[in-house]
Amino acid sequence: MRYPGRVIKMGESDARIVKALKTALNKALVLRGNAALALDPDNPRFGPTMKQAVQLFQARHLDDQGQPLKTDGEVGSLTWAVLFGTADVPQHTEALDPFMGAVLAVAGAQADAAVREQPRNSNRGPEVDAYLRRAGVHPGLAWCCAFTYWCFDEAAQQAGRINPMFKTAGCLNHWQNAPRQGARRLLARDAVADPSAVQPGAVFIMDFGGGLGHTGFVERIEGGYIHTIEGNTDASQGREGGGVYRLQRKLASINKGFIDYAGV
């Protein structure tokens, strides 16, 4: 059964979805012999007992990446994938917009080239300096957003068109000003509820408070996970790493949202 594009929780009104979930939970948890938790698929209500059963299922299972499920009693895309299979949650592997595909190709080439700071932990290096200068700031600053701008600009030059991305080296400044360029913003909570709204080529934005942020590209989406290309990071997924990397992140770890320039 396909993920419905929203988090299913107490009060859900779609009887068909509730029945499918109760049937799957009964099978997964073998609850028929447990009078306290056995779920009646013909009862269309998502009430406290069903929430308890979902929490028990989440506590007993890992997602398809081997990570614990959040035991919140709500069925988002990660819990749905474990119950019904990964084929029933959104999977986007290629950018629909040709220009966004070109931007990802530029970013991917930098990841494949293993761009790294020189020296380590300096926010410097031939490529890093070029990213920062292209975004209009001096070398030596945090450079994740400058990397995204450089990738947009390189793809625009190759295509002989105007760069649609707002020119900035600041992640949160980008978030605030992207709509001025015609870009669409997708709030984090809406992306978690419906991963299909996130498309390859979108730019993710994370907010760490105090004006600090982190950003990068979504290369593909697999249900509750995104695969990214990002600068100024490393395998620890930090915001002050030393290079351009391909990483995998939980969609729910992106706490600000996504910027989509497709069609701009």
Side-chain angles (χ1 to χ4, degrees):
M1 185 175 184
R2 293 292 297 173
Y3 179 66
R6 66 181 188 281
V7 177
I8 308 303
K9 53 189 175 182
M10 284 183 59
E12 172 61 41
S13 60
D14 190 322
R16 181 182 62 92
I17 292 174
V18 172
K19 182 174 184 176
L21 283 171
K22 286 183 174 180
T23 300
L25 287 165
N26 279 337
K27 181 178 179 181
L29 296 172
V30 194
L31 293 177
R32 292 186 182 85
N34 186 331
L37 282 179
L39 303 172
D40 179 7
D42 294 322
N43 180 348
R45 181 169 177 262
F46 189 145
T49 301
M50 184 173 174
K51 179 178 181 178
Q52 187 179 358
V54 172
Q55 288 174 314
L56 180 60
F57 175 83
Q58 291 168 328
R60 290 183 177 179
H61 291 79
L62 303 174
D63 66 26
D64 64 338
Q65 301 297 317
Q67 298 299 311
L69 293 169
K70 184 178 180 180
T71 55
D72 56 4
E74 300 180 355
V75 183
S77 60
L78 288 174
T79 299
W80 191 279
V82 181
L83 275 166
F84 296 105
T86 56
D88 285 316
V89 295
Q91 312 279 326
H92 299 310
T93 59
E94 295 183 359
L96 298 178
D97 181 277
F99 178 68
M100 295 315 305
V103 174
L104 285 178
V106 171
Q110 296 297 288
D112 292 341
V115 171
R116 299 292 185 264
E117 293 178 357
Q118 300 176 30
R120 293 178 60 185
N121 303 319
S122 66
N123 283 338
R124 297 296 305 268
E127 297 90 352
V128 174
D129 289 355
Y131 303 151
L132 288 161
R133 289 195 182 97
R134 189 76 64 89
V137 296
H138 295 295
L141 300 176
W143 52 276
C144 58
C145 189
F147 168 69
T148 64
Y149 183 80
W150 184 91
C151 293
F152 268 96
D153 208 48
E154 285 289 303
Q157 290 182 24
Q158 293 171 14
R161 55 160 292 173
I162 294 174
N163 180 358
M165 180 176 159
F166 180 77
K167 186 174 182 178
T168 181
C171 304
L172 303 182
N173 190 39
H174 185 201
W175 176 260
Q176 291 297 326
N177 288 285
R180 292 171 50 187
Q181 305 295 105
R184 294 171 299 281
R185 294 189 304 191
L186 177 67
L187 295 177
R189 64 173 181 269
D190 297 328
V192 171
D194 184 10
S196 67
V198 182
Q199 293 292 324
V203 176
F204 72 82
I205 303 290
M206 302 174 77
D207 186 346
F208 294 96
L212 301 177
H214 184 61
T215 191
F217 293 103
V218 176
E219 187 172 28
R220 67 183 191 276
I221 299 92
E222 295 177 353
Y225 280 87
I226 56 173
H227 296 260
T228 66
I229 306 171
E230 49 195 275
N232 205 10
T233 191
D234 55 29
S236 72
Q237 301 187 353
R239 57 169 296 275
E240 280 289 357
V244 179
Y245 286 80
R246 280 186 167 91
L247 298 176
Q248 176 180 277
R249 295 179 180 270
K250 279 190 175 182
L251 187 56
S253 72
I254 308 303
N255 66 349
K256 193 72 172 178
F258 299 83
I259 301 170
D260 191 349
Y261 283 94
V264 177

